[in-house]
Amino acid sequence: MKIAVFHGSPRKGNTYKATKIFLDELTKYRDVQYTEFFLPEAMPEFCTGCQLCLGNPYEKCPHSKYVTPILNTIINSDALIFTTPHFGACSMTSCMKNLLDHLDFLTMNVAPRAELFKMKAFIITTGAGSVAAIKPIKKYLKNWGINRVYSLGFRMFTDRWNKMSQPKQMKFEKKLRRAANRYYNAPQKYPYISTIFMYYISKFILRKYVGIGKYPYEYWKEKGFLIRSHFNKYDVFNKHNLH
Ligand SMILES: Cc1cc2nc3c(=O)[nH]c(=O)nc-3n(C[C@H](O)[C@H](O)[C@H](O)COP(=O)(O)O)c2cc1C
């Protein structure tokens, strides 16, 4: 199983520690290999909001030299991991948000990748509000059509993992190891109802209101997404020609 890991903070603190435990358990399975991206190094430029990636192939993005290796790794993975500490009100770090903004062309009504429809993702967050930080990341990933998004948030009330009591550290470690095993073994499932809904709405909108000549329409047409007249789990989202 190939995994792409996105570390959402340059601080190798609580979130990094939790992620390393999770990865340590996953790599007990011999077929697991992972590629790590450390933010912000892997995506050092801020999204300029130019929207070129929404109306053209993503290569028009002024930062495509950073996007391309990330996208290629994502597409060639079987699973993804996103990690972030919780900052401020219900929030991920700015570098994680910046990564997700650079990949927003993957959203269903622009240029989704069929490879992602069979992929699973895991989100790890830390901080007292960690659960709230999961929500927006999950939303992005579901918009990409990711098959299943799992998560674990740790309310740890301290800036250092080692400051937690031993029993608390052990409890968190046990949770992470159990979740890693479940994640490894989680099978591909029927897509989320929201994914199916977004697929049909996007198809309707692109056909009816945009028409020939506009990029998302052309992309959908080229990928064959427009001609699928019915949805079932062996059709659009699984057996689609991925190349
Ligand atoms: C700028 C900033 C804002 C933060 N805001 C919150 C917050 O709103 N709620 C919270 O519970 N923790 C907050 N924290 C604390 C971190 O989320 C928490 O210590 C986390 O476990 C740190 O993870 P790290 O060691 O991986 O950086 C904040 C930390 C920073 C640096």
Side-chain angles (χ1 to χ4, degrees):
M1 185 163 99
K2 285 196 216 156
I3 308 175
V5 185
F6 297 93
H7 294 280
S9 169
R11 180 177 193 245
K12 290 190 173 167
N14 295 338
T15 317
Y16 184 76
K17 171 82 181 171
T19 306
K20 282 291 165 186
I21 294 169
F22 192 81
L23 288 171
D24 178 63
E25 190 64 25
L26 276 177
T27 47
K28 289 183 179 162
Y29 295 96
R30 284 212 183 143
D31 65 322
V32 169
Q33 306 165 22
Y34 61 89
T35 306
E36 292 174 287
F37 290 93
F38 292 89
L39 299 170
E41 285 91 342
M43 180 55 74
E45 302 284 352
F46 267 104
C47 171
T48 62
C50 65
Q51 303 201 19
L52 286 171
C53 67
L54 304 181
N56 300 277
Y58 86 88
E59 288 89 343
K60 292 276 179 199
C61 169
H63 310 139
S64 64
K65 71 171 177 181
Y66 301 111
V67 178
T68 299
I70 290 173
L71 180 66
N72 289 343
T73 307
I74 288 178
I75 284 173
N76 290 309
S77 296
D78 305 297
L80 309 174
I81 298 176
F82 294 83
T83 81
T84 181
H86 172 241
F87 282 7
C90 316
S91 196
M92 65 189 94
T93 58
S94 54
C95 45
M96 177 55 78
K97 176 75 168 70
N98 186 42
L99 171 76
L100 296 172
D101 288 343
H102 276 95
L103 295 172
D104 207 32
F105 61 86
L106 292 172
T107 201
M108 190 63 80
N109 62 3
V110 182
R113 298 299 194 265
E115 290 90 336
L116 299 182
F117 301 157
K118 58 190 171 75
M119 213 173 274
K120 53 189 172 186
F122 203 98
I123 305 166
I124 298 173
T125 64
T126 68
S130 57
V131 176
I134 290 168
K135 272 192 187 168
I137 302 178
K138 197 167 191 172
K139 192 119 201 278
Y140 271 94
L141 301 182
K142 286 174 83 174
N143 282 348
W144 298 356
I146 294 273
N147 180 258
R148 274 293 175 282
V149 185
Y150 304 94
S151 60
L152 211 44
F154 291 99
R155 296 180 191 276
M156 48 185 44
F157 303 103
T158 173
D159 60 343
R160 297 248 176 84
W161 183 279
N162 293 343
K163 278 199 217 160
M164 290 188 295
S165 65
Q166 277 296 325
K168 198 166 180 185
Q169 288 184 38
M170 280 165 66
K171 185 178 141 198
F172 284 173
E173 180 162 347
K174 201 170 158 193
K175 267 192 171 182
L176 281 158
R177 293 193 184 279
R178 199 183 317 131
N181 283 297
R182 285 212 195 113
Y183 185 51
Y184 177 85
N185 290 303
Q188 185 182 351
K189 294 191 179 163
Y190 198 75
Y192 290 115
I193 296 298
S194 60
T195 303
I196 299 169
F197 183 72
M198 275 192 309
Y199 167 74
Y200 279 112
I201 288 284
S202 302
K203 184 165 153 172
F204 175 78
I205 292 171
L206 290 178
R207 261 194 186 147
K208 193 164 170 72
Y209 295 108
V210 180
I212 296 164
K214 296 284 191 286
Y215 172 67
Y217 177 87
E218 285 173 352
Y219 175 88
W220 271 60
K221 197 172 164 199
E222 184 204 320
K223 294 288 171 189
F225 294 158
L226 289 171
I227 55 169
R228 305 278 155 164
S229 57
H230 67 281
F231 175 84
N232 74 52
K233 75 174 181 175
Y234 300 110
D235 191 341
V236 176
F237 287 86
N238 284 7
K239 272 200 179 163
H240 192 74
N241 177 3
L242 299 180
H243 300 290

